[in-house]
Amino acid sequence: MKNVFLISVLLSALLGACTPAMQKSELFMELPDDCPTPDGMAIAPDGDLILACPNFADLSKPACLMRITKDGKISKWMNVPVLEETGWAAPMGITFDDEGDLFICDNQGWSGAEKARNKGRILCLKLDGYELKEVIEVATGMEHPNGIRFRNGKLYVTQSSLSSIQDPSGLLVSGVYCFDKNDMNIKVTNTKADKNLLTTVITKNKAVQYGLDGIVFDKEDNLYVGNFGDGTIHRITMNPDGNVIGNEIWAQDPSQLRTTDGMCMDDDGNIWVADFSENAVARIDKNGRIQRIAQSPDCDGSDGGLDQPGEPIVWNGQVIVSCFDIVTGPDKVNTKHDKPFTLAKLQLN
């Protein structure tokens, strides 16, 4: 028994040594008044960081894209082209393709406004460097396009809600869509009749009926998506033809990760996840082990606190986190929207 006890202590010590210590997030940048609601991010071909600001907290501010240079200077790059029917745009997830064009999830429906219902778009901004040459609508009529990634000539998009698809359980259905990067004017119906609908999941948490959100690929082309309400990460595997052959819950630990918003992957294959409701960021290793890396109480972000983190991204050797800071409710740490508007940062290692 003594030997068993000693072995147990030794194993605990070794596991503890491998566990990342909790960090205190730091302030990366205070954002200008143009950015009351920062969200998705992507790295431009020249290495600058692009930030999408849907500005749901103040719709009088045009939705825009901000450019942050490698030496930390921020400026407005452009206002996102609006949808004529609604008069606004709502850029959330963004991604560049291999030619330097930018694709945007224009999540019109997130606002809840009736006039924006099923008006979401996937936009392609054809660029010459930072000069806009053309705007193409890849897809229209989407209910809730949220996260987006480019991979092997294709665009993979999470739709956080597919309310037209009724599951017998009555629970929310959400899904992943796949488009060719050269597609134009695809009319989405938000039903299983959509040929671009790759796979679906159900959100079982009745208290938080919000579905797929963050999305990343690993080096082996496995697709990982976060089911926001359930706090789970699904691994989706595909055959060479792009057909789904597996969709399973790969990682789940409510004590370390309660909700899954934006996600990114570092060079070592770890997935970083914004835990929107808990004001926290978690890291998931290649074995699916989840560890909360940082957490903040309700705050205004002025000291670098995680003020409702929306998305992390690995940039210049650190993890930058956007602070969405708008949603409140009994399950949220965040209690109000307030200044300053911020990006936080965490140490990568």
Side-chain angles (χ1 to χ4, degrees), residues 34-272:
D34 294 315
C35 312
T37 319
D39 191 48
M41 294 175 284
I43 300 172
D46 69 352
D48 287 352
L49 182 63
I50 306 303
L51 170 68
C53 301
N55 294 340
F56 296 117
D58 183 356
L59 292 177
S60 71
K61 304 286 187 185
C64 63
L65 300 172
M66 306 297 292
R67 178 183 175 187
I68 303 171
T69 60
K70 291 179 286 294
D71 58 357
K73 296 178 181 177
I74 186 169
S75 60
K76 180 186 280 192
W77 175 18
M78 71 171 79
N79 292 333
V80 176
V82 302
L83 177 64
E84 186 175 350
E85 294 174 65
T86 61
W88 70 58
M92 296 189 80
I94 58 176
T95 191
F96 284 91
D97 70 3
D98 50 5
E99 296 179 337
D101 294 328
L102 183 67
F103 294 84
I104 299 174
C105 286
D106 179 15
N107 194 346
Q108 296 271 331
W110 194 95
S111 67
E114 181 59 30
K115 69 176 182 178
R117 186 172 181 268
N118 292 343
K119 294 294 194 304
R121 304 178 292 173
I122 304 301
L123 297 179
C124 171
L125 305 190
K126 304 291 288 185
L127 301 168
D128 182 2
Y130 284 98
E131 183 181 353
L132 179 61
K133 293 296 187 179
E134 185 181 6
V135 180
I136 296 171
E137 290 185 337
V138 176
T140 61
M142 302 187 77
E143 181 177 355
H144 207 99
N146 202 332
I148 185 168
R149 288 288 184 264
F150 172 78
R151 192 75 165 188
N152 299 328
K154 304 288 185 181
L155 300 167
Y156 295 83
V157 179
T158 55
Q159 275 239 83
S160 302
S161 175
L162 290 169
S163 58
S164 295
I165 301 176
Q166 297 293 314
D167 186 77
S169 67
L171 296 171
L172 176 74
V173 177
S174 60
V176 180
Y177 278 69
C178 178
F179 305 97
D180 187 273
K181 76 168 192 172
N182 295 314
D183 281 342
M184 299 175 62
N185 301 316
I186 301 292
K187 306 298 184 184
V188 173
T189 68
N190 306 295
T191 69
K192 288 188 176 180
D194 289 336
K195 67 177 183 179
N196 298 92
L197 180 59
L198 195 65
T199 189
T200 61
V201 304
I202 296 170
T203 300
K204 297 178 181 179
N205 183 357
K206 293 181 179 180
V208 185
Q209 285 286 278
Y210 195 86
L212 294 182
D213 194 323
I215 178 170
V216 294
F217 277 92
D218 66 15
K219 294 177 181 178
E220 288 73 41
D221 287 334
N222 295 307
L223 177 61
Y224 298 84
V225 290
N227 189 344
F228 183 98
D230 289 350
T232 55
I233 306 296
H234 286 245
R235 178 168 59 188
I236 298 168
T237 52
M238 292 172 276
N239 64 20
D241 294 328
N243 298 313
V244 172
I245 56 176
N247 181 346
E248 62 178 351
I249 294 177
W250 173 72
Q252 181 178 21
D253 184 349
S255 72
Q256 301 296 308
L257 179 63
R258 187 157 66 85
T259 56
T260 57
D261 203 310
M263 309 193 306
C264 69
M265 184 170 286
D266 65 26
D267 289 341
D268 294 325
N270 301 303
I271 298 174
W272 295 73

Side-chain angles (χ1 to χ4, degrees), residues 36-38 56-58 110 276-277 279 296-302 305-309 323-342:
T37 319
F56 296 117
D58 183 356
W110 194 95
F276 188 85
S277 297
N279 275 14
S296 300
D298 185 31
C299 63
D300 64 8
S302 58
L306 297 170
D307 193 8
Q308 197 161 67
C323 294
F324 199 72
D325 184 31
I326 184 175
V327 183
T328 61
D331 66 316
K332 305 290 190 297
V333 172
N334 190 56
T335 60
K336 62 179 179 179
H337 175 74
D338 47 17
K339 282 190 171 185
F341 316 136
T342 61

Side-chain angles (χ1 to χ4, degrees), residues 10-21 270 283 285 289 291 293:
L10 180 59
L11 285 173
S12 296
L14 288 172
L15 288 173
C18 296
T19 300
N270 301 303
R283 192 181 78 171
D285 68 19
R289 180 170 175 265
Q291 176 69 33
I293 296 297

